[in-house]
Amino acid sequence: MGSSDPDKLIIKADKLTKLSLTRWNADWRSATQLYEQAANGYRVSRNIEKAKEAFEMASKGQEMLSSLYYYHNNNRPWDAAKHMETAAALAKDLAKWNEVADFYRRASELYVQCGRPQPASDALAKGARALEDAVPEDAIQLYTDACVILEDDGKEQMAFDLYRAATNVYIKLEKYTDAAAFMLRLGLAADKCSATHSQCKAYLGAVVIYLYAHDLNQAQKCYNDCSMIDAFASSDQSRCASRLISAYSDGDIEEIKKVAQSSTISNLDHMIIRLARKLPTGDISALKKSDTDDQHEELDENDLT
């Protein structure tokens, strides 16, 4: 009867993968089975560190088997990816954030090898969610890469929640220009999917973010650019954005607050609603003065008399 002691299983598996005078070829098939047994044994006994390491080796074993011609099939990279995801989840429990990112990335690559873009994107998204609080910049990159996989596969609609998640992290980091850019990216993806309502909500969301950042000029430019798109120009979201920008230009605080409480705003994503309900930020009268000065400067530049 074979030993169920995970430590002994690891020792035996390691021996099967190392070449010697009496072993000219590594036996990855037997070794991988032992690594998998050991990994499960460690996990049951709550030895998280050793379980993580064993799942790493089990993943490597499945990769090695997939590269051998007599075991070549699509299940091997899939099994390797699943083991790597498990290792990543255990790394999260251990707060080993670099490993969390690396393991989920590797799992994603293995899913790509299987020709499975959706699980590949999902793996990156899992990593991003795990890293949001500890390493938000890495989380954003993982969200971005997850979106790219789906975009390249022509499945932009499956990425909508990822665009929103990345935007939310940017807002938490107070990187409002980047947050607005991701909202616009969501709008573009929605346009490709003919998801008009999501598209218009994304464009209004971008305007709200710029206004929250107290950047009326950029909000106006964003609104003007988006208004070139017929679907947005004739939408409730466009009218809402126009009212907000006009209220800012007029320095009308009460109107800003009124629009921010409107049903159109209430139907946006929660992260955008939270920003809108805090409008206006900063000194509106200063914004109005700055806008007037810009108009005067523009007139002076064109004055040829």
Side-chain angles (χ1 to χ4, degrees):
M1 185 175 179
S3 172
S4 60
D5 182 338
D7 288 335
K8 292 180 179 179
L9 293 173
I10 290 292
I11 292 171
K12 186 175 180 180
D14 287 343
K15 287 181 179 179
L16 292 173
T17 63
K18 293 176 181 176
L19 304 184
S20 66
L21 293 176
T22 58
R23 185 184 301 281
W24 293 8
N25 295 301
D27 184 358
W28 278 104
R29 185 182 189 186
S30 299
T32 300
Q33 292 174 347
L34 293 172
Y35 284 131
E36 290 170 343
Q37 293 174 33
N40 289 322
Y42 284 132
R43 187 161 57 172
V44 168
S45 64
R46 299 301 299 165
N47 191 329
I48 306 301
E49 178 64 41
K50 287 191 174 183
K52 173 185 68 69
E53 294 172 356
F55 275 112
E56 282 183 75
M57 291 306 300
S59 178
K60 180 181 178 181
Q62 292 291 359
E63 277 193 77
M64 295 298 294
L65 292 175
S66 70
S67 67
L68 299 175
Y69 71 93
Y70 48 88
Y71 287 121
H72 186 70
N73 61 66
N74 285 335
N75 286 333
R76 297 299 182 180
W78 176 272
D79 291 339
K82 298 299 289 185
H83 288 328
M84 191 55 71
E85 280 199 81
T86 303
L90 294 170
K92 177 191 174 185
D93 291 341
L94 294 166
K96 294 192 172 184
W97 307 119
N98 287 338
E99 289 188 351
V100 170
D102 290 344
F103 292 172
Y104 275 119
R105 280 193 179 282
R106 184 57 190 148
S108 178
E109 292 168 358
L110 290 164
Y111 284 128
V112 169
Q113 289 181 24
C114 299
R116 302 292 296 275
Q118 182 68 59
S121 176
D122 290 345
L124 294 178
K126 289 177 186 176
R129 286 190 289 271
L131 295 173
E132 274 193 20
D133 293 331
V135 197
E137 293 83 0
D138 288 355
I140 287 170
Q141 188 58 58
L142 288 173
Y143 277 132
T144 302
D145 294 343
C147 290
V148 169
I149 289 175
L150 294 175
E151 289 168 353
D152 290 346
D153 196 44
K155 295 180 179 177
E156 285 88 354
Q157 192 161 6
M158 303 297 292
F160 284 6
D161 286 343
L162 302 180
Y163 295 121
R164 295 185 182 103
T167 300
N168 193 39
V169 178
Y170 273 130
I171 289 173
K172 289 179 180 178
L173 292 174
E174 299 183 355
K175 293 185 176 182
Y176 300 116
T177 299
D178 292 322
F182 239 89
M183 276 284 96
L184 294 173
R185 186 168 173 176
L186 168 55
L188 179 60
D191 184 36
K192 292 180 179 179
C193 302
S194 299
T196 303
H197 191 57
S198 294
Q199 178 184 11
C200 294
K201 286 171 62 177
Y203 291 156
L204 174 55
V207 170
V208 169
I209 292 170
Y210 282 128
L211 291 176
Y212 184 83
H214 211 56
D215 192 342
L216 177 58
N217 288 335
Q218 194 59 44
Q220 180 73 65
K221 182 179 183 302
C222 177
Y223 172 74
N224 291 342
D225 290 344
C226 293
S227 295
M228 299 294 289
I229 300 171
D230 292 340
F232 178 71
S234 60
S235 69
D236 290 340
Q237 289 79 18
S238 174
R239 287 185 283 275
C240 183
S242 178
R243 286 179 62 193
L244 273 175
I245 291 171
S246 295
Y248 264 84
S249 297
D250 295 340
D252 190 339
I253 294 176
E254 290 307 313
E255 176 66 6
I256 293 171
K257 291 182 177 180
K258 181 179 178 181
V259 177
Q261 294 293 331
S262 67
S263 60
T264 305
I265 293 292
S266 297
N267 287 324
L268 299 180
D269 296 310
H270 293 305
M271 59 194 172
I272 304 299
I273 295 173
R274 284 195 296 269
L275 297 186
R277 297 285 158 78
K278 294 177 182 178
L279 296 178
T281 58
D283 185 355
I284 299 301
S285 61
L287 265 182
K288 183 179 179 183
K289 181 178 184 302
S290 175
D291 187 50
T292 302
D293 291 344
D294 288 344
Q295 291 178 9
H296 287 163
E297 288 177 11
E298 185 175 340
L299 288 173
D300 290 342
E301 289 173 2
N302 295 322
D303 189 356
L304 301 180
T305 59

